[in-house]
Amino acid sequence: MANKVLVVDDSAFMRNLLKQLLEGEHEVVGEAENGVEAVELYRELDPDVVTMDVVMPIRNGIEATSEIKSADPGASVIMCTSVGQEEKMREAVEAGADGYITKPFQKPNVLQAIADVIQAEA
């Protein structure tokens, strides 16, 4: 069964890349380019999983994750980070992130991260 995924990244290139990787496996129900949009779309679309970039303008991924998790503790959020952002990952986990994937994205890693958080919920 395809899961509904909300893709959040300030880079259109990264959002498109993630959409291509998820195509055929999951359904991308929305895209946001900052944390404010992410929280609004989460409320609107009620996705199964959110892929959340850490570094974004207006409101970053850690703040947005924290906000989504406090509104819906059952939310599944996978952080997207660049290599070398270990400190950010610790903050993300503290904010409630369920998993993370590292850029550059590779299809098996992305699909595995989604499978892991979905199984953890079940």
Side-chain angles (χ1 to χ4, degrees):
M1 183 182 115
N3 294 294
K4 296 184 298 184
V5 182
L6 171 60
V7 175
V8 184
D9 199 304
D10 57 336
S11 155
F13 173 80
M14 284 299 175
R15 291 196 310 273
N16 284 329
L17 181 62
L18 270 172
K19 281 197 302 195
Q20 286 171 359
L21 295 178
L22 295 169
E23 218 169 36
E25 307 275 342
H26 301 284
E27 181 192 356
V28 175
V29 290
E31 292 179 52
E33 57 184 47
N34 62 59
V36 174
E37 281 181 18
V39 172
E40 286 169 8
L41 281 175
Y42 184 85
R43 289 189 183 121
E44 237 173 81
L45 302 169
D46 190 31
D48 299 310
V49 180
V50 181
T51 63
M52 180 81 71
D53 188 22
V54 174
V55 182
M56 294 183 292
I58 307 174
R59 184 177 300 151
N60 69 34
I62 292 167
E63 294 162 340
T65 297
S66 183
E67 194 170 332
I68 286 171
K69 283 290 195 171
S70 58
D72 178 5
S76 293
V77 181
I78 298 172
M79 303 306 288
C80 304
T81 178
S82 301
V83 172
Q85 291 185 326
E86 283 76 16
E87 185 51 48
K88 293 260 188 266
M89 287 322 306
R90 274 197 291 278
E91 289 174 42
V93 168
E94 284 164 20
D98 299 285
Y100 67 94
I101 44 180
T102 309
K103 298 172 183 174
F105 299 127
Q106 291 169 315
K107 186 167 185 158
N109 305 5
V110 173
L111 297 178
Q112 188 59 54
I114 291 176
D116 289 347
V117 301
I118 295 297
Q119 282 165 350
E121 267 186 9

